Amino acid sequence: MTRTAVAVGYARDAAQLAVVQIHARDHGYLLAHVIEDRRDAATISQLTKHAMDERAEVVILPGDALLSAARKRLEKELAAVGAACVVLGAPSAPAGGVFERVMPRRDFDAARGKHSKRPGEQHPL
């Protein structure tokens, strides 16, 4: 008797959800849970925890999700809990458009009230 692998999916919107569900169905995975994250702001730790909680063997991630930019680290963290990572539409790198949605560090720091030092700039003592 063949055992069905348990999977956890990740989706930002209905289009990604459909792609994740189709992939799970086509590959015979039991899709135990889908993390729906409209802000596309989940962390590797959160995704790993969901995989652990569901005892998932596979995590299905759309290639245009922000987490796909950290694929190598995500794969490493998931492997530590016995899960593999499938990044759809991105065999070895994030899909186009992922990096355009990432806020530059300088803008992120400025939004949080921190200022990063520019090259050649001196901070007052």
Side-chain angles (χ1 to χ4, degrees), residues 39-101:
R39 294 181 311 131
D40 199 12
T43 65
I44 291 172
S45 297
Q46 291 169 328
L47 202 55
T48 302
K49 182 174 179 351
H50 280 286
M52 279 180 19
D53 291 349
E54 296 293 336
R55 291 188 167 92
E57 298 162 80
V58 178
V59 172
I60 304 168
L61 180 70
D64 61 347
L66 287 177
L67 279 175
S68 72
R71 179 182 184 160
K72 294 290 183 194
R73 178 148 179 247
L74 179 59
E75 288 173 339
K76 181 179 176 183
E77 296 293 323
L78 290 171
V81 299
C85 183
V86 175
V87 179
L88 304 175
S92 62
V98 169
F99 292 115
E100 288 87 35
R101 294 195 332 262

Side-chain angles (χ1 to χ4, degrees), residues 12-13 17 19 27 36 40 57-58 63 70 79 81 94 97 103 110 114:
R12 179 183 64 242
D13 53 32
L17 177 60
V19 168
H27 288 82
E36 295 185 45
D40 199 12
E57 298 162 80
V58 178
V81 299
M103 180 183 288
K114 295 181 179 181

Side-chain angles (χ1 to χ4, degrees), residues 1-8 23-32 54-58 60 82:
M1 182 173 181
T2 306
R3 196 173 80 65
T4 303
V6 174
V8 168
H23 182 82
R25 183 196 67 215
D26 290 351
H27 288 82
Y29 299 135
L30 171 63
L31 191 57
E54 296 293 336
R55 291 188 167 92
E57 298 162 80
V58 178
I60 304 168

